[in-house]
Amino acid sequence: MDPDAKSDDRGLIDGFLDAAWLQAGLSTNTIRSYRSDLIHFIRYLADRSKSLKDVSRDDLRDYLDPVSYT
């Protein structure tokens, strides 16, 4: 996991990916891609002094399309 990511966020990501792998049988490459995307998102949040537990709908909108929602 990424050392820049907050400990709580890393735990949430690990738990989600473990469940996705066990329940959905996702491939290693898919899990790796999900992890990469989620790490990028938590870095984005960290720049805004937030964690995954603090995410709002607006945070997601801004992250996914920063030009349309600013």
Side-chain angles (χ1 to χ4, degrees):
M1 201 73 210
D2 189 321
D4 293 337
K6 292 182 182 178
S7 177
D8 290 344
D9 288 348
R10 287 195 311 252
L12 290 171
I13 289 172
D14 289 342
F16 167 75
L17 294 175
D18 287 347
W21 177 73
L22 288 170
Q23 294 173 7
L26 300 178
S27 74
T28 302
N29 286 338
T30 300
I31 296 293
R32 192 175 298 134
S33 293
Y34 281 15
R35 182 179 304 278
S36 175
D37 292 342
L38 290 166
I39 288 171
H40 190 264
F41 183 55
I42 61 174
R43 284 182 179 160
Y44 168 86
L45 291 174
D47 288 345
R48 286 146 187 80
S49 299
K50 290 193 169 193
S51 73
L52 285 174
K53 292 179 182 179
D54 303 322
V55 169
S56 69
R57 181 177 291 192
D58 289 337
D59 294 323
L60 289 170
R61 286 181 178 161
D62 291 344
Y63 174 74
L64 294 172
D65 192 1
V67 175
S68 295
Y69 296 102
T70 57

